[in-house]
Amino acid sequence: MKKTLRKTIVAFAVIATLTTGCRSTDEYKKFAKAGSEYANAVDKLLEAASDIRIDTTSEQLLRNDRILNQTIEDYKKLTEPDEKRLEVIGKLRKHNELLREYFRLLNELASSDAPTRAQGEITGVVNNLNKIGKELQGSDLITNPGLLQGITNLVVSSQIRGALRDELEKRNRTIMLELTIQKEMLKALGDSIEQDAKLIRIAEEERFVIRPLIEDTEIADKDAWIETRREILIRERRGKELKNASNALGKFQEVFQGLVEGTLSLTRLNSFLQDVDNFLQLVEADKKAK
């Protein structure tokens, strides 16, 4: 509730800024905060993607074991792809954390009269961001590498001035590239989450719902069975919601581009903030359900 209220306050602050007819430093500070919220939401999504991937493989192992007793080799064959995927997700989380730090420093540039320290820190952050970004470009989650080659420099709006303008002129293409990498990977992960959630639902429904139902003995705790069935079916819906959230979060690239070019509207920014807020509420609901 507090997070929702805080985002509402941010939205009203942005309204006050945009309706003045000119873009002030405060607007870019609010955008930097939105960038931090974005990074926070992405991190939670990546955490969910890791958990769902592990659970999917666990269900597959149990399913295979019911058919034929599994060996160590069978186990490794199924878990090795998981280890590779988790390694990629781990790198993406580091990449995301660096983006969070970049937007924090962007906030300093927008609000400080002495931005030299922030400028120096940004150089180190962006260098590390580029390094991890290049590693991520080789991931199987990047299904359209050609898309990354077509990114060009943006024309920085004349409304942006000072150290912030210098930074955006220097690195807007770099940040667009890194945000595009995240966007493409989030989209691929969203598709994977939806598919994995469906597989988990099928496996759990068989184990916890169908098997007790078709046994000769009557189900002892009928209320518990009903609740379990409901939770399992809802969990698949959560997978679809997480996929939609991954697509929504990927749109932050468009928000950043709009800020740089001076075309970011109040409606667009508020819409994105609402998407982030909706996702965080979804995550909180999942935690309470467990």
Side-chain angles (χ1 to χ4, degrees):
M1 183 66 183
K2 289 182 179 179
K3 288 184 178 179
T4 304
L5 178 60
R6 181 161 57 85
K7 290 185 181 65
T8 302
I9 293 173
V10 169
F12 278 114
V14 173
I15 291 174
T17 302
L18 293 181
T19 54
T20 60
C22 63
R23 293 179 180 252
S24 70
T25 300
D26 285 344
E27 181 182 347
Y28 304 111
K29 289 166 62 178
K30 298 301 182 294
F31 169 82
K33 289 182 180 180
S36 178
E37 293 294 338
Y38 157 80
N40 180 43
V42 167
D43 190 66
K44 292 183 182 300
L45 177 65
L46 295 176
E47 184 179 357
S50 298
D51 291 346
I52 290 174
R53 183 59 183 254
I54 292 170
D55 289 348
T56 303
T57 302
S58 296
E59 290 290 352
Q60 184 63 52
L61 286 165
L62 289 173
R63 191 183 188 92
N64 291 350
D65 191 55
R66 288 197 296 272
I67 299 172
L68 181 66
N69 190 38
Q70 298 293 284
T71 65
I72 293 295
E73 288 72 23
D74 294 328
Y75 178 83
K76 289 182 177 179
K77 185 177 180 180
L78 271 181
T79 58
E80 282 177 1
D82 275 359
E83 292 173 2
K84 292 179 181 178
R85 174 59 61 85
L86 293 176
E87 182 181 359
V88 170
I89 291 177
K91 289 181 180 179
L92 187 53
R93 292 184 78 172
K94 290 180 182 178
H95 184 268
N96 183 60
E97 182 59 36
L98 288 167
L99 275 174
R100 186 207 308 270
E101 181 64 8
Y102 176 81
F103 289 117
R104 183 189 70 79
L105 293 169
L106 207 64
N107 184 28
E108 284 194 23
L109 285 182
S111 59
S112 175
D113 294 330
T116 304
R117 185 182 65 83
Q119 288 171 329
E121 289 186 32
I122 281 178
T123 299
V125 168
V126 172
N127 286 342
N128 289 328
L129 193 60
N130 278 334
K131 181 180 178 181
I132 297 179
K134 288 178 181 177
E135 294 176 6
L136 292 175
Q137 288 183 45
S139 164
D140 61 351
L141 293 175
I142 299 292
T143 57
N144 185 13
L147 185 66
L148 304 178
Q149 307 303 320
I151 297 174
T152 58
N153 284 308
L154 304 176
V155 177
V156 180
S157 169
S158 60
Q159 297 168 319
I160 303 176
R161 299 182 178 87
L164 184 60
R165 180 181 183 84
D166 293 340
E167 169 57 29
L168 292 177
E169 284 185 333
K170 184 177 182 180
R171 295 194 176 94
N172 72 74
R173 183 186 179 280
T174 298
I175 301 305
M176 280 292 290
L177 173 63
E178 303 306 332
L179 287 173
T180 302
I181 290 172
Q182 277 209 358
K183 178 180 180 179
E184 290 301 298
M185 296 186 78
L186 287 176
K187 182 179 183 301
L189 280 173
D191 292 339
S192 178
I193 286 172
E194 183 181 35
Q195 182 179 5
D196 287 348
K198 183 175 182 178
L199 293 174
I200 291 172
R201 191 270 299 167
I202 292 172
E204 289 187 340
E205 191 174 18
E206 180 185 344
R207 285 199 299 128
F208 299 118
V209 177
I210 296 175
R211 280 189 178 186
L213 188 65
I214 63 177
E215 286 180 356
D216 293 335
T217 56
E218 186 179 4
I219 294 174
D221 192 338
K222 296 178 177 59
D223 290 337
W225 182 88
I226 290 173
E227 184 176 350
T228 298
R229 180 172 180 269
R230 183 194 314 120
E231 289 177 355
I232 289 172
L233 295 179
I234 288 176
R235 201 168 299 149
E236 182 178 357
R237 188 182 72 194
R238 286 279 191 264
K240 294 179 181 179
E241 291 172 343
L242 286 171
K243 176 187 177 180
N244 292 336
S246 70
N247 292 334
L249 291 174
K251 293 179 181 178
F252 185 67
Q253 175 211 41
E254 300 169 15
V255 175
F256 175 76
Q257 181 173 349
L259 171 90
V260 174
E261 295 180 334
T263 60
L264 181 61
S265 68
L266 170 65
T267 301
R268 182 70 191 89
L269 184 56
N270 276 345
S271 175
F272 179 77
L273 287 170
Q274 187 61 56
D275 286 340
V276 172
D277 190 53
N278 290 342
F279 170 72
L280 292 173
Q281 289 184 37
L282 173 63
V283 171
E284 288 301 317
D286 276 343
K287 286 182 179 179
K288 291 178 182 178
K290 292 179 180 178

